[in-house]
Amino acid sequence: MDSEDDLLQKCITSAMPKQR
Amino acid sequence: PDSPLARWTKSLHFLLGDQDGAHLFRTFLEREKCVDTLDFWFACNGFRQMDLNDTKTLRVAKAIFKRYIENNSIVAKQLKPATKTYIRDSIKKQQIDSAMFDQAQTEIQSTMEENAYQMFLTSDIYLEYV
């Protein structure tokens, strides 16, 4: 199971803009 | 049409919607020791996309609360007490809602627009990139 920190990091990364 | 770079100066929204813009702004905020405000802003967007039926979503809400709101971090300092109380209560009652961080995100965004974003547009990091 992912740690809370991992989950948070994934959440942040998922919202970041992708390549133009 | 405007280049992505020209759009960065139009609004924070355009800057953060562009990969290079978001990256450069993040570098600037790291230097200014307030990168947490940007990570929180992205975390709020990511949280809004999560499935409320997934048990991970409650864990992420708790993680956001613990990392940015419960403590005395720069994000916590910029939020209204009522906003923090609302989120604390929602988590305590396990009443998770996609919009539960919206108000907090709006408050952080306003502060960023008034301060960090304006400073960024005159910073050497930005000017050298341009």
Coordinates of all heavy atoms in Angstrom, one line a residue, chain B residues 16-108:
Chain B
L16 N 0.4 28.5 -15.0 CA 0.4 27.2 -14.4 C -0.2 26.1 -15.3 O 0.0 24.9 -15.0 CB -0.5 27.3 -13.1 CG 0.1 28.2 -12.0 CD1 -0.8 28.1 -10.8 CD2 1.5 27.9 -11.7
G17 N -0.8 26.5 -16.4 CA -1.3 25.6 -17.4 C -0.2 25.1 -18.4 O -0.4 24.3 -19.2
D18 N 0.9 25.8 -18.3 CA 2.0 25.5 -19.2 C 3.1 24.8 -18.5 O 3.5 25.2 -17.4 CB 2.5 26.8 -19.8 CG 3.6 26.5 -20.8 OD1 3.3 26.1 -21.9 OD2 4.8 26.8 -20.5
Q19 N 3.6 23.7 -19.1 CA 4.6 22.9 -18.3 C 5.9 23.7 -18.0 O 6.3 23.6 -16.8 CB 5.0 21.6 -19.2 CG 5.7 20.6 -18.4 CD 6.1 19.4 -19.2 OE1 6.5 19.5 -20.3 NE2 5.9 18.2 -18.6
D20 N 6.4 24.4 -19.0 CA 7.6 25.1 -18.7 C 7.4 26.3 -17.8 O 8.2 26.6 -16.9 CB 8.2 25.7 -20.0 CG 8.7 24.6 -20.9 OD1 8.9 23.5 -20.4 OD2 8.9 24.9 -22.1
G21 N 6.2 26.9 -17.9 CA 5.8 28.0 -17.0 C 5.7 27.6 -15.6 O 6.3 28.2 -14.7
A22 N 5.0 26.5 -15.4 CA 4.8 25.9 -14.0 C 6.2 25.5 -13.4 O 6.4 25.8 -12.3 CB 3.9 24.7 -14.1
H23 N 7.0 25.0 -14.3 CA 8.3 24.5 -13.8 C 9.2 25.7 -13.4 O 9.8 25.7 -12.3 CB 9.0 23.7 -14.9 CG 10.4 23.2 -14.5 ND1 10.5 22.1 -13.7 CD2 11.6 23.7 -14.8 CE1 11.8 21.9 -13.5 NE2 12.5 22.9 -14.1
L24 N 9.2 26.7 -14.2 CA 10.0 27.9 -13.9 C 9.4 28.7 -12.7 O 10.2 29.1 -11.8 CB 10.0 28.9 -15.1 CG 11.1 29.9 -15.1 CD1 12.5 29.2 -15.3 CD2 10.9 30.9 -16.3
F25 N 8.1 28.8 -12.6 CA 7.5 29.4 -11.4 C 7.8 28.6 -10.1 O 8.1 29.2 -9.1 CB 6.0 29.5 -11.6 CG 5.3 30.3 -10.6 CD1 5.7 31.6 -10.3 CD2 4.1 29.8 -10.0 CE1 5.0 32.3 -9.3 CE2 3.4 30.6 -9.1 CZ 3.9 31.8 -8.7
R26 N 7.9 27.3 -10.3 CA 8.2 26.4 -9.1 C 9.7 26.7 -8.6 O 9.9 26.8 -7.4 CB 8.1 25.0 -9.5 CG 8.0 24.1 -8.3 CD 7.6 22.6 -8.7 NE 7.2 21.9 -7.5 CZ 8.1 21.5 -6.6 NH1 9.3 21.7 -6.7 NH2 7.6 20.9 -5.5
T27 N 10.6 26.8 -9.6 CA 12.0 27.1 -9.3 C 12.1 28.5 -8.5 O 12.8 28.6 -7.6 CB 12.8 27.2 -10.6 OG1 12.6 26.0 -11.3 CG2 14.3 27.4 -10.3
F28 N 11.3 29.4 -9.0 CA 11.3 30.7 -8.4 C 10.7 30.6 -6.9 O 11.3 31.2 -6.0 CB 10.4 31.7 -9.2 CG 10.1 33.0 -8.5 CD1 11.0 34.0 -8.4 CD2 8.8 33.2 -7.9 CE1 10.7 35.2 -7.7 CE2 8.5 34.4 -7.3 CZ 9.5 35.4 -7.2
L29 N 9.7 29.9 -6.8 CA 9.1 29.7 -5.4 C 10.0 29.0 -4.5 O 10.0 29.2 -3.3 CB 7.7 29.1 -5.5 CG 6.6 29.9 -6.2 CD1 5.3 29.1 -6.3 CD2 6.3 31.2 -5.5
E30 N 10.7 28.0 -5.0 CA 11.7 27.3 -4.2 C 12.7 28.3 -3.6 O 13.1 28.2 -2.4 CB 12.4 26.2 -5.0 CG 11.7 24.9 -5.0 CD 12.3 23.9 -6.0 OE1 13.2 24.2 -6.7 OE2 11.7 22.8 -6.0
R31 N 13.2 29.2 -4.5 CA 14.1 30.2 -4.0 C 13.5 31.1 -3.0 O 14.2 31.6 -2.1 CB 14.6 31.0 -5.2 CG 16.0 31.5 -5.1 CD 16.4 32.3 -6.3 NE 15.5 33.5 -6.5 CZ 15.7 34.4 -7.5 NH1 16.7 34.2 -8.3 NH2 14.9 35.4 -7.7
E32 N 12.2 31.4 -3.1 CA 11.6 32.3 -2.2 C 11.0 31.6 -1.0 O 10.3 32.2 -0.1 CB 10.4 33.0 -2.9 CG 10.8 33.9 -4.1 CD 11.6 35.1 -3.7 OE1 11.3 35.7 -2.7 OE2 12.6 35.3 -4.4
K33 N 11.3 30.3 -0.9 CA 10.9 29.5 0.2 C 9.4 29.4 0.4 O 8.9 29.4 1.5 CB 11.5 30.0 1.5 CG 13.0 30.2 1.5 CD 13.8 29.1 2.2 CE 15.3 29.4 2.3 NZ 15.9 29.1 1.0
C34 N 8.6 29.4 -0.7 CA 7.2 29.3 -0.6 C 6.6 28.3 -1.6 O 5.5 28.5 -2.1 CB 6.5 30.6 -0.5 SG 6.9 31.7 -1.9
V35 N 7.4 27.3 -2.0 CA 7.0 26.4 -3.0 C 5.8 25.6 -2.5 O 5.0 25.1 -3.3 CB 8.2 25.5 -3.4 CG1 8.5 24.4 -2.4 CG2 7.9 24.8 -4.8
D36 N 5.6 25.5 -1.2 CA 4.4 24.7 -0.7 C 3.1 25.3 -1.2 O 2.1 24.5 -1.4 CB 4.4 24.8 0.9 CG 5.3 23.6 1.4 OD1 5.9 22.9 0.7 OD2 5.3 23.5 2.7
T37 N 3.1 26.6 -1.4 CA 1.8 27.2 -1.9 C 1.4 26.6 -3.2 O 0.2 26.3 -3.5 CB 1.9 28.7 -1.9 OG1 3.0 29.1 -2.8 CG2 2.0 29.3 -0.6
L38 N 2.4 26.4 -4.1 CA 2.1 25.9 -5.4 C 1.8 24.4 -5.4 O 0.9 24.0 -6.1 CB 3.4 26.1 -6.4 CG 3.2 25.7 -7.8 CD1 2.1 26.5 -8.5 CD2 4.5 25.9 -8.6
D39 N 2.5 23.7 -4.6 CA 2.2 22.2 -4.5 C 0.8 22.0 -3.9 O 0.1 21.2 -4.3 CB 3.3 21.6 -3.5 CG 4.6 21.4 -4.2 OD1 4.6 21.5 -5.5 OD2 5.6 21.2 -3.5
F40 N 0.5 22.9 -2.9 CA -0.9 22.8 -2.4 C -1.9 23.1 -3.5 O -3.0 22.4 -3.6 CB -1.1 23.8 -1.2 CG -2.5 23.9 -0.7 CD1 -3.0 22.8 0.1 CD2 -3.3 25.0 -1.0 CE1 -4.3 22.9 0.6 CE2 -4.6 25.0 -0.5 CZ -5.1 24.0 0.3
W41 N -1.7 24.1 -4.3 CA -2.6 24.5 -5.4 C -2.8 23.3 -6.3 O -3.9 23.0 -6.7 CB -2.0 25.7 -6.1 CG -3.0 26.3 -7.1 CD1 -3.9 27.3 -6.8 CD2 -3.1 26.1 -8.5 NE1 -4.6 27.7 -8.0 CE2 -4.1 26.9 -9.0 CE3 -2.5 25.2 -9.3 CZ2 -4.5 26.9 -10.3 CZ3 -2.9 25.1 -10.7 CH2 -3.9 26.0 -11.2
F42 N -1.7 22.6 -6.7 CA -1.8 21.5 -7.6 C -2.5 20.3 -6.9 O -3.3 19.6 -7.5 CB -0.4 21.0 -8.1 CG 0.1 21.9 -9.3 CD1 1.3 22.5 -9.2 CD2 -0.7 22.0 -10.4 CE1 1.8 23.3 -10.3 CE2 -0.2 22.7 -11.5 CZ 1.0 23.4 -11.5
A43 N -2.2 20.1 -5.6 CA -2.8 19.1 -4.8 C -4.4 19.2 -4.8 O -5.1 18.3 -5.0 CB -2.3 19.0 -3.4
C44 N -4.8 20.5 -4.7 CA -6.3 20.7 -4.7 C -6.9 20.4 -6.1 O -7.9 19.8 -6.1 CB -6.5 22.2 -4.4 SG -6.1 22.8 -2.8
N45 N -6.2 20.7 -7.1 CA -6.7 20.3 -8.5 C -6.7 18.8 -8.6 O -7.7 18.2 -9.2 CB -5.8 20.9 -9.6 CG -6.1 22.3 -9.9 OD1 -7.1 22.9 -9.3 ND2 -5.4 22.9 -10.8
G46 N -5.6 18.1 -8.2 CA -5.6 16.7 -8.3 C -6.6 16.0 -7.4 O -7.3 15.1 -7.9
F47 N -6.9 16.6 -6.3 CA -7.9 16.0 -5.4 C -9.3 16.1 -6.0 O -10.1 15.1 -5.9 CB -7.9 16.7 -4.0 CG -8.9 16.2 -3.1 CD1 -8.7 15.0 -2.3 CD2 -10.1 16.8 -2.9 CE1 -9.6 14.5 -1.5 CE2 -11.1 16.3 -2.1 CZ -10.8 15.1 -1.4
R48 N -9.6 17.2 -6.6 CA -10.9 17.4 -7.2 C -11.2 16.3 -8.3 O -12.3 16.0 -8.6 CB -10.9 18.8 -7.9 CG -12.4 19.4 -8.0 CD -12.4 20.8 -8.5 NE -11.7 21.7 -7.7 CZ -10.6 22.4 -8.0 NH1 -10.1 22.3 -9.2 NH2 -10.1 23.2 -7.1
Q49 N -10.1 15.8 -8.9 CA -10.3 14.8 -10.0 C -10.5 13.3 -9.4 O -10.8 12.4 -10.2 CB -9.1 14.7 -10.9 CG -8.6 16.1 -11.4 CD -9.7 16.8 -12.3 OE1 -10.4 16.1 -13.0 NE2 -9.7 18.1 -12.2
M50 N -10.3 13.2 -8.1 CA -10.2 11.8 -7.5 C -11.7 11.3 -7.4 O -12.6 12.0 -7.2 CB -9.5 11.8 -6.2 CG -8.0 12.0 -6.4 SD -7.1 11.9 -4.8 CE -7.0 10.1 -4.7
D51 N -11.7 10.0 -7.4 CA -13.0 9.2 -7.2 C -13.4 9.2 -5.8 O -12.6 8.6 -4.9 CB -12.8 7.8 -7.8 CG -14.0 7.0 -7.7 OD1 -15.0 7.5 -7.1 OD2 -14.0 5.8 -8.2
L52 N -14.5 9.7 -5.4 CA -14.9 9.8 -4.0 C -15.2 8.4 -3.4 O -15.2 8.2 -2.2 CB -16.1 10.7 -3.8 CG -15.9 12.2 -4.0 CD1 -17.2 12.9 -4.0 CD2 -14.9 12.7 -3.1
N53 N -15.4 7.4 -4.3 CA -15.7 6.0 -3.8 C -14.4 5.2 -3.6 O -14.4 4.1 -3.0 CB -16.5 5.3 -4.9 CG -17.9 5.9 -5.0 OD1 -18.5 6.2 -4.0 ND2 -18.3 6.0 -6.2
D54 N -13.3 5.8 -4.0 CA -12.0 5.2 -3.8 C -11.5 5.5 -2.4 O -11.5 6.7 -2.0 CB -11.0 5.7 -4.8 CG -9.7 5.0 -4.9 OD1 -9.3 4.4 -3.8 OD2 -9.0 5.0 -5.9
T55 N -11.1 4.5 -1.6 CA -10.6 4.7 -0.2 C -9.4 5.6 -0.2 O -9.1 6.2 0.8 CB -10.3 3.4 0.5 OG1 -9.4 2.6 -0.3 CG2 -11.5 2.6 0.8
K56 N -8.6 5.6 -1.3 CA -7.4 6.5 -1.4 C -7.8 8.0 -1.2 O -7.0 8.8 -0.7 CB -6.8 6.3 -2.8 CG -5.8 5.2 -2.8 CD -5.1 5.2 -4.2 CE -4.5 3.9 -4.5 NZ -4.3 3.7 -6.0
T57 N -9.0 8.3 -1.6 CA -9.3 9.8 -1.7 C -9.4 10.3 -0.2 O -8.9 11.4 0.0 CB -10.7 9.9 -2.4 OG1 -10.6 9.3 -3.6 CG2 -11.0 11.4 -2.6
L58 N -9.9 9.6 0.7 CA -9.9 10.1 2.1 C -8.5 10.2 2.6 O -8.1 11.1 3.3 CB -10.7 9.1 3.0 CG -10.7 9.4 4.5 CD1 -11.2 10.8 4.8 CD2 -11.4 8.4 5.3
R59 N -7.6 9.2 2.2 CA -6.2 9.3 2.7 C -5.5 10.5 2.1 O -4.7 11.1 2.8 CB -5.5 8.0 2.3 CG -6.1 6.7 3.0 CD -5.3 5.5 2.7 NE -4.0 5.5 3.2 CZ -2.9 4.9 2.6 NH1 -3.1 4.3 1.5 NH2 -1.7 5.0 3.1
V60 N -5.8 10.8 0.8 CA -5.2 12.0 0.2 C -5.7 13.3 0.9 O -4.9 14.2 1.2 CB -5.5 12.0 -1.3 CG1 -5.0 13.4 -1.9 CG2 -4.7 10.9 -2.0
A61 N -7.0 13.3 1.2 CA -7.5 14.5 1.9 C -6.8 14.7 3.3 O -6.4 15.8 3.6 CB -9.0 14.3 2.2
K62 N -6.6 13.6 4.0 CA -5.9 13.6 5.3 C -4.4 14.1 5.1 O -3.9 14.9 5.9 CB -5.9 12.3 5.9 CG -7.2 11.9 6.6 CD -7.2 10.5 7.2 CE -8.5 10.2 7.9 NZ -8.5 8.8 8.3
A63 N -3.8 13.5 4.0 CA -2.4 13.9 3.7 C -2.3 15.4 3.4 O -1.4 16.0 3.9 CB -1.9 13.1 2.6
I64 N -3.2 15.9 2.6 CA -3.2 17.4 2.3 C -3.3 18.2 3.6 O -2.6 19.1 3.8 CB -4.3 17.7 1.3 CG1 -4.0 17.1 -0.1 CG2 -4.4 19.2 1.1 CD1 -5.1 17.2 -1.1
F65 N -4.3 17.8 4.4 CA -4.6 18.5 5.6 C -3.3 18.5 6.5 O -2.9 19.5 7.1 CB -5.8 17.8 6.3 CG -6.1 18.4 7.7 CD1 -6.6 19.7 7.8 CD2 -5.8 17.7 8.9 CE1 -6.8 20.3 9.0 CE2 -6.1 18.3 10.1 CZ -6.6 19.6 10.2
K66 N -2.7 17.3 6.7 CA -1.6 17.2 7.6 C -0.4 17.9 7.1 O 0.3 18.6 7.8 CB -1.2 15.7 7.7 CG -1.0 15.2 9.1 CD -1.1 13.7 9.2 CE 0.1 13.0 8.8 NZ 0.0 11.5 9.0
R67 N -0.2 17.9 5.8 CA 1.1 18.4 5.2 C 1.0 20.0 5.1 O 2.0 20.7 5.3 CB 1.3 17.8 3.8 CG 2.4 18.4 3.0 CD 3.7 17.9 3.5 NE 4.8 18.5 2.7 CZ 5.3 19.8 2.9 NH1 4.8 20.5 3.8 NH2 6.2 20.2 2.1
Y68 N -0.2 20.5 4.8 CA -0.3 21.9 4.5 C -1.2 22.8 5.5 O -1.0 24.0 5.5 CB -0.8 22.1 3.1 CG 0.0 21.5 2.0 CD1 -0.4 20.4 1.4 CD2 1.2 22.0 1.7 CE1 0.3 19.8 0.4 CE2 2.0 21.5 0.7 CZ 1.6 20.3 0.1 OH 2.3 19.7 -0.9
I69 N -2.1 22.1 6.2 CA -3.1 22.9 6.9 C -3.0 22.8 8.4 O -3.1 23.8 9.1 CB -4.5 22.6 6.4 CG1 -4.6 22.8 4.9 CG2 -5.6 23.3 7.2 CD1 -5.9 22.3 4.2
E70 N -2.7 21.6 8.9 CA -2.7 21.4 10.3 C -1.6 22.1 11.0 O -1.7 22.5 12.1 CB -2.6 19.9 10.5 CG -2.8 19.4 11.9 CD -2.7 17.9 12.0 OE1 -1.8 17.4 11.4 OE2 -3.5 17.3 12.7
N71 N -0.5 22.2 10.3 CA 0.7 22.8 10.9 C 0.8 24.3 10.7 O -0.2 24.9 10.3 CB 2.0 22.1 10.3 CG 1.9 22.1 8.8 OD1 1.3 23.0 8.2 ND2 2.6 21.2 8.2
N72 N 2.0 24.8 11.0 CA 2.1 26.3 10.8 C 2.8 26.6 9.5 O 3.6 27.6 9.5 CB 2.9 26.8 12.0 CG 2.4 28.2 12.4 OD1 1.3 28.6 12.0 ND2 3.2 28.9 13.1
S73 N 2.6 25.9 8.5 CA 3.3 26.1 7.2 C 2.8 27.4 6.6 O 1.8 28.0 7.0 CB 3.0 24.9 6.3 OG 1.7 25.1 5.7
I74 N 3.5 27.7 5.5 CA 3.1 29.0 4.8 C 1.7 28.9 4.2 O 1.0 29.9 4.2 CB 4.2 29.3 3.7 CG1 3.9 30.6 3.0 CG2 4.2 28.2 2.6 CD1 5.2 31.3 2.6
V75 N 1.2 27.7 3.8 CA -0.2 27.6 3.4 C -1.1 27.9 4.5 O -2.0 28.7 4.4 CB -0.4 26.2 2.8 CG1 -1.9 26.0 2.4 CG2 0.5 26.0 1.5
A76 N -0.9 27.3 5.7 CA -1.7 27.5 6.8 C -1.8 28.9 7.2 O -2.9 29.4 7.6 CB -1.2 26.6 8.0
K77 N -0.7 29.6 7.1 CA -0.6 31.0 7.5 C -1.5 31.9 6.6 O -2.0 33.0 7.0 CB 0.8 31.5 7.5 CG 1.6 31.1 8.7 CD 3.0 31.6 8.7 CE 3.8 30.9 9.8 NZ 5.2 30.9 9.4
Q78 N -1.6 31.5 5.3 CA -2.3 32.3 4.4 C -3.8 32.0 4.3 O -4.6 32.6 3.6 CB -1.7 32.1 3.0 CG -0.3 32.7 2.9 CD 0.3 32.5 1.5 OE1 -0.3 32.0 0.6 NE2 1.5 32.9 1.4
L79 N -4.3 31.0 5.1 CA -5.7 30.6 5.0 C -6.5 31.3 6.2 O -5.9 31.5 7.3 CB -5.8 29.1 5.1 CG -5.3 28.3 3.9 CD1 -5.4 26.8 4.2 CD2 -6.1 28.7 2.6
K80 N -7.7 31.5 5.9 CA -8.6 32.1 7.0 C -8.9 31.0 8.0 O -9.0 29.8 7.6 CB -9.9 32.5 6.4 CG -9.8 33.8 5.5 CD -11.1 34.2 4.9 CE -10.9 35.4 4.0 NZ -11.9 35.4 2.9
P81 N -9.0 31.3 9.3 CA -9.2 30.3 10.3 C -10.5 29.5 10.0 O -10.5 28.3 10.2 CB -9.4 31.2 11.6 CG -8.7 32.4 11.3 CD -8.7 32.7 9.8
A82 N -11.5 30.2 9.5 CA -12.8 29.4 9.2 C -12.6 28.4 8.1 O -13.2 27.3 8.2 CB -13.9 30.4 8.8
T83 N -11.7 28.7 7.2 CA -11.5 27.8 6.1 C -10.8 26.5 6.6 O -11.1 25.4 6.3 CB -10.6 28.4 5.0 OG1 -11.2 29.7 4.6 CG2 -10.4 27.6 3.8
K84 N -9.8 26.7 7.5 CA -9.1 25.6 8.1 C -10.0 24.8 9.0 O -9.9 23.5 8.9 CB -7.9 26.1 8.9 CG -6.8 26.7 8.1 CD -5.6 27.0 8.9 CE -5.6 28.5 9.4 NZ -4.4 28.9 9.9
T85 N -10.9 25.4 9.7 CA -11.8 24.7 10.6 C -12.7 23.8 9.8 O -13.0 22.7 10.1 CB -12.6 25.7 11.4 OG1 -11.7 26.6 12.1 CG2 -13.5 25.0 12.4
Y86 N -13.2 24.4 8.7 CA -14.1 23.7 7.8 C -13.5 22.4 7.3 O -14.1 21.3 7.3 CB -14.6 24.6 6.6 CG -15.3 23.8 5.5 CD1 -16.6 23.4 5.7 CD2 -14.6 23.5 4.3 CE1 -17.2 22.7 4.7 CE2 -15.3 22.8 3.3 CZ -16.6 22.4 3.5 OH -17.2 21.7 2.5
I87 N -12.3 22.5 6.9 CA -11.6 21.3 6.3 C -11.3 20.3 7.5 O -11.5 19.1 7.3 CB -10.2 21.7 5.6 CG1 -10.6 22.5 4.4 CG2 -9.4 20.5 5.2 CD1 -9.4 23.2 3.7
R88 N -10.8 20.8 8.6 CA -10.6 19.9 9.8 C -11.8 19.1 10.1 O -11.8 17.9 10.3 CB -10.1 20.8 11.0 CG -9.8 19.9 12.2 CD -9.4 20.7 13.4 NE -8.2 21.5 13.1 CZ -8.1 22.9 13.1 NH1 -9.2 23.6 13.4 NH2 -7.0 23.5 12.8
D89 N -13.0 19.8 10.2 CA -14.2 19.2 10.6 C -14.7 18.1 9.5 O -15.1 17.1 9.9 CB -15.3 20.2 10.7 CG -15.1 21.1 12.0 OD1 -14.2 20.7 12.8 OD2 -15.8 22.1 12.2
S90 N -14.5 18.5 8.2 CA -14.9 17.6 7.2 C -14.1 16.3 7.3 O -14.6 15.2 7.1 CB -14.6 18.2 5.8 OG -15.3 19.4 5.6
I91 N -12.8 16.4 7.6 CA -12.0 15.2 7.7 C -12.3 14.4 8.9 O -12.4 13.2 8.9 CB -10.5 15.6 7.6 CG1 -10.1 16.0 6.2 CG2 -9.6 14.5 8.1 CD1 -8.8 16.5 6.0
K92 N -12.6 15.1 10.0 CA -12.9 14.4 11.3 C -14.2 13.6 11.1 O -14.3 12.5 11.6 CB -13.1 15.5 12.4 CG -12.7 15.0 13.8 CD -13.1 16.0 14.8 CE -11.9 17.0 15.1 NZ -12.3 18.0 16.1
K93 N -15.1 14.2 10.4 CA -16.4 13.5 10.2 C -16.4 12.6 9.0 O -17.4 11.9 8.6 CB -17.5 14.5 9.9 CG -17.8 15.4 11.1 CD -18.9 16.5 10.7 CE -19.0 17.6 11.6 NZ -19.5 18.9 11.0
Q94 N -15.2 12.5 8.3 CA -15.0 11.7 7.1 C -16.0 12.1 6.0 O -16.5 11.3 5.3 CB -15.1 10.2 7.4 CG -14.1 9.8 8.5 CD -13.6 8.4 8.4 OE1 -14.1 7.6 7.6 NE2 -12.6 8.0 9.2
Q95 N -16.4 13.4 6.0 CA -17.3 13.9 5.0 C -16.5 14.5 3.8 O -16.2 15.7 3.8 CB -18.2 14.9 5.6 CG -19.4 14.3 6.4 CD -20.2 15.4 7.0 OE1 -19.9 16.6 7.0 NE2 -21.3 15.0 7.7
I96 N -16.1 13.6 3.0 CA -15.2 13.9 1.9 C -16.0 14.4 0.7 O -17.0 13.7 0.3 CB -14.3 12.8 1.5 CG1 -13.4 12.3 2.7 CG2 -13.3 13.1 0.3 CD1 -12.6 13.4 3.3
D97 N -15.6 15.5 0.2 CA -16.3 16.1 -1.0 C -15.3 16.7 -2.0 O -14.2 17.2 -1.6 CB -17.1 17.3 -0.4 CG -18.0 17.9 -1.5 OD1 -17.5 18.9 -2.1 OD2 -19.1 17.5 -1.7
S98 N -15.6 16.5 -3.2 CA -14.6 17.0 -4.3 C -14.2 18.5 -4.1 O -13.2 18.9 -4.5 CB -15.2 16.8 -5.7 OG -15.3 15.4 -5.9
A99 N -15.2 19.2 -3.6 CA -15.0 20.7 -3.5 C -14.5 21.1 -2.1 O -14.4 22.3 -1.9 CB -16.3 21.4 -3.8
M100 N -14.1 20.2 -1.3 CA -13.8 20.6 0.1 C -12.6 21.5 0.2 O -12.4 22.2 1.2 CB -13.6 19.3 1.0 CG -12.5 18.4 0.6 SD -12.5 17.0 1.7 CE -11.8 17.6 3.2
F101 N -11.7 21.5 -0.8 CA -10.5 22.3 -0.7 C -10.6 23.6 -1.6 O -9.7 24.4 -1.7 CB -9.2 21.6 -1.1 CG -8.8 20.5 -0.1 CD1 -9.0 19.1 -0.4 CD2 -8.3 20.8 1.1 CE1 -8.7 18.1 0.5 CE2 -7.9 19.8 2.0 CZ -8.1 18.5 1.7
D102 N -11.8 23.7 -2.2 CA -11.9 24.8 -3.2 C -11.7 26.2 -2.6 O -11.0 27.0 -3.1 CB -13.3 24.8 -3.8 CG -13.5 23.7 -4.9 OD1 -12.5 22.9 -5.0 OD2 -14.5 23.7 -5.6
Q103 N -12.3 26.4 -1.4 CA -12.2 27.8 -0.8 C -10.7 28.0 -0.4 O -10.2 29.1 -0.6 CB -13.1 27.8 0.5 CG -13.0 29.1 1.3 CD -13.3 30.4 0.5 OE1 -14.1 30.4 -0.4 NE2 -12.7 31.5 0.9
A104 N -10.1 27.0 0.1 CA -8.7 27.1 0.5 C -7.8 27.4 -0.7 O -6.9 28.3 -0.7 CB -8.2 25.9 1.2
Q105 N -8.1 26.7 -1.8 CA -7.3 26.9 -3.0 C -7.5 28.3 -3.5 O -6.6 29.0 -4.0 CB -7.8 25.9 -4.1 CG -6.9 26.0 -5.3 CD -7.3 25.1 -6.4 OE1 -8.5 24.8 -6.6 NE2 -6.4 24.6 -7.3
T106 N -8.8 28.8 -3.5 CA -9.1 30.2 -3.9 C -8.3 31.2 -3.1 O -7.7 32.2 -3.7 CB -10.6 30.5 -3.8 OG1 -11.3 29.5 -4.6 CG2 -10.9 31.9 -4.3
E107 N -8.2 31.0 -1.8 CA -7.5 32.0 -0.9 C -6.0 32.0 -1.3 O -5.3 33.0 -1.4 CB -7.7 31.6 0.5 CG -9.1 31.9 1.0 CD -9.5 31.4 2.4 OE1 -8.5 31.2 3.2 OE2 -10.7 31.3 2.7
I108 N -5.4 30.7 -1.5 CA -4.0 30.6 -1.8 C -3.7 31.2 -3.2 O -2.7 31.9 -3.4 CB -3.6 29.1 -1.7 CG1 -3.6 28.6 -0.3 CG2 -2.2 28.9 -2.3 CD1 -2.7 29.4 0.7

